[in-house]
Each structure stands twice: as structure tokens, then as C-alpha cells.
Amino acid sequence: NAGVTQTPKFRVLKTGQSMTLLCAQDMNHEYMYWYRQDPGMGLRLIHYSVGEGTTAKGEVPDGYNVSRLKKQNFLLGLESAAPSQTSVYFCASSYSTPAFKGNQPQHFGDGTRLSIL
Amino acid sequence: GIQVEQSPPDLILQEGANSTLRCNFSDSVNNLQWFHQNPWGQLINLFYIPSGTKQNGRLSATTVATERYSLLYISSSQTTDSGVYFCFGNNRKLIWGLGTSLAVNP
């Protein structure tokens, strides 16, 4: 089982460039999440999706867009990268859970290390 | 919003020592989990433990939901236990602690 797969694993961008991070899960999970992790700040939720075709904002959504065209994929886009977006990005997935009151564990990908110069 | 405090923030152990990590929440949370982030950055799910006690080898965890805390026990620590340990839960939003950074020296 692959679980949650993130591509790419590393990327260096110049300020103003755009890119898309791909997350794929093979567990038939309804919920998918994008986090960023910065030193001393733990994990912060960027956007999440409660199912195919739906997306919602998390704690720190500005500067990012997401799409969930297929249930197994969740894409995170940076339209115009900024140095403040240098971070490690994690994707996660879980089974259905209504309004974050559920009882299912999250499964994480291995992360994407993104540097913006 | 709900606050989560992990203690201690940093811990250095000699190989073979035991330790207890704690996670306190300011309000009730669901779905409590413990994760280990290894030195390569991978997040590994250790326990899904909304209440009660679970054991997995040298690791065990206890959550007392009514008192809003959870404990992670590491016995006979090994250098491969090094990394950062996070607790995580939810209560209408996702709530992550800032982690306990553990270094186990040979």
C-alpha cells in the first residue's frame, strides 16, 4: 500500500514563480488536508477537502489555492511564490468526519520541502 | 480557541532511559493522536488514542479525556526514538501541539 504520496519531495523556486504540489492517496479517504510546517510553529492547516469537488480554507489559506477534481488527489497551488512560503508541506487524509468531530486518524505523506528564493 | 501544551519542550536522554511526554488541552478534544517526526522529517502515526491506554512495543499512551490530557511513555529509549513528538486532536478545528523534541544519546 502506498498510502499518501506527495510529489515532488523537494523544489526550489524563484519569487513569483508558480507551482503545484500533488497529493495522492489510495485509501479511499473522503477527507484530505494540506499543512505547512515551520520551525517553532508546529503544523498549520492551509486548506482541506471534505470530498471530491469540495475545498475549504484552513488557518493559513492566503497565497494558496487547492483543487480536488478526483477523490484520490488533492492539489496545492502557489500562483506567485513568495519567500514567506518557504516551508515543509504535508498532505494528509482521513475517512469521513463531520465538521472535525469525527473519530478517524489522519495519515500523512512524507512531505515536500519547498524553498523560495 | 483551544490551547494545547506539550511538555517538556526539549528532552535529552541516555540510551536505555525511560521518559514520559505530556499533552494538556485547555478544553475537550476528540480524535487524539500521537505522532513522531523522525530526523528525516517523516510524520509517523504512533497512536490513535481518544481515551484509555494502548501499548505498542516500548511505547505506550494513555489519554484521560475527562481531565484533558494525554501521556506518551517511552521505555528503554533508543537512538532511533530521536525526533519530535506531536499530539493532535480536534474540536471543530484541528489542534496541534508544538511538539517535544527528543534526543537520545548512545
Side-chain angles (χ1 to χ4, degrees), chain A residues 51-64:
Chain A
E52 182 178 324
T54 73
T55 63
K57 294 180 180 180
E59 278 182 82
V60 289
D62 294 341
Y64 304 96

Side-chain angles (χ1 to χ4, degrees), chain B residues 12-89:
Chain B
I12 300 174
L13 297 176
Q14 206 63 32
E15 200 168 25
N18 303 327
S19 64
T20 301
L21 282 57
R22 187 177 180 108
C23 183
N24 286 337
F25 289 90
S26 60
D27 200 348
S28 61
V29 296
N30 305 306
N31 210 20
L32 197 137
Q33 299 171 64
W34 283 96
F35 286 88
H36 174 218
Q37 187 167 37
N38 64 25
W40 296 270
Q42 294 172 314
L43 277 165
I44 300 159
N45 192 315
L46 297 176
F47 292 101
Y48 170 68
I49 186 159
S51 63
T53 297
K54 289 186 179 179
Q55 180 151 9
N56 185 2
R58 296 180 296 103
L59 302 181
S60 64
T62 295
T63 296
V64 183
T66 53
E67 297 187 21
R68 305 191 297 272
Y69 73 87
S70 185
L71 303 173
L72 178 69
Y73 305 96
I74 303 174
S75 64
S76 303
S77 59
Q78 300 177 357
T79 56
T80 51
D81 295 330
S82 296
V84 183
Y85 291 81
F86 292 100
C87 62
F88 156 77

